[in-house]
Amino acid sequence: MKIVNVVGARPNFMKIAPLMRAYCSEPGIQPLLVHTGQHYDHAMSRLFFEELSIPRPDIDLEVGSGSHAAQTAEVMKRFEPVCLQHRPDLVLVVGDVNSTIACALVAAKLGVRVAHVEAGLRSFDRGMPEEINRILTDAISDLLFVSEPSGEKNLLAEGTDPRRIHLVGNVMIDTLLANLDKARALGTTGQLGLAPKGFALLTLHRPSNVDDRGAFTRLWGAIERIAERMPVVFPCHPRTRARLAEFGLADSIERAGRVRLLEPLGYLEFLCLMSDAGVVLTDSGGIQEETTILRVPCLTMRQNTERPITCELGTNVLVGSDPEAIVAGFTRVAGGDGPAGGPCPLWDGRAAERIVRVLASGA
Ligand code: UD1
């Protein structure tokens, strides 16, 4: 069985790593790896391949950045000949980025079966580009690998044939558990002069938070207030860095001195910092799951989450984008009043094995 596996953007890499490893124990599966090139900076792409020992991509489409339409279309144009040449039995896509829907759509129209890993997640907010990608990818996938019970519930509510749905757990957590010791051994926290539990770790990149001057400026006000009480470390996505400069917010960061602006970090360094953080402030999807497993308090600066299990069983609290709510959330968590969090079913480091078993069974 020839399986073409697709990655494109940073959050895809930690999801594909355990699958590429698990394929090795299935001689009947011949995996090929395609990188669309949606993310291309060394720190956003190649570094993750090195750290996570992901094999070098067999094919690199080198699409680069663009508007949503241009980027999605370019991936489709370049991926179609790959499918025609290699004639895979299955195309496997992960997550919810533009590369995910682009390749799923190409495969489905060529009559190639599609498997979607991390299926069924819904924020019910169609203002998020990822929500559109999730809904469409699930609608045209033959196999839906689900990470948490809400995913199964959402798919069934949409009328999905239950035989297509497989609740397998979370491949990103496979990667976290496999790399935690190695990450902690790096000692990144100490190297940055930070005390364990004595700092807040910040990530921000959602268009709704950083692309609008007013929204970003308000949010930044909350971060500065938090930074007066606890040092904030901020590895900065290129999109966010561009907006900081455009809105003139970077100067105030320098002045405040307590916000440490860093280049995007590698997986292991970031995991080390996350495991040591007193609190994580984020608008990412995956970080809500990672902090849940690490039992580190997480304040998510969004109105909704497509990963509700992180709030129900984990350490995640939705604080939205209102500065008062963000600061109040921080005060609660810093005072030890955040949810303690507990284990999530099937987030045990073996999700990729389960997926490969389903694939090998010819389901
Ligand atoms: C994408 C995903 C988002 C994911 C995020 C993680 C979609 C719709 N969004 O958003 O779900 O959470 O990745 O990072 O697919 N850029 C660089 N270097 C790079 C990549 C991007 O400088 O290697 C800059 C470019 O200016 C680009 C911008 O970042 O225009 C945005 O990149 P893009 O891939 O379009 O979306 P992300 O915001 O990264």
Side-chain angles (χ1 to χ4, degrees), residues 160-181:
T160 309
D161 181 343
R163 285 171 300 186
R164 286 164 58 204
I165 306 172
H166 301 268
L167 179 59
V168 289
N170 192 324
V171 282
M172 212 182 52
I173 301 304
D174 290 5
T175 296
L176 185 152
L177 295 174
N179 287 282
L180 186 55
D181 290 346

Side-chain angles (χ1 to χ4, degrees), residues 9-11 38-41 44 65-66 68 71 96-99 129-130 133 205-207 237-239:
R10 182 170 61 177
Q38 176 173 344
H39 284 175
Y40 44 84
D41 285 353
M44 299 287 286
S65 301
H68 284 274
Q71 188 175 59
D96 55 13
V97 301
N98 287 342
S99 302
E130 294 83 0
N133 294 342
H205 75 283
R206 293 248 154 260
H237 185 283
R239 150 198 288 289

Side-chain angles (χ1 to χ4, degrees), residues 180-196:
L180 186 55
D181 290 346
K182 205 160 136 196
R184 294 192 55 81
L186 282 180
T188 310
T189 309
Q191 282 160 18
L192 288 172
L194 298 162

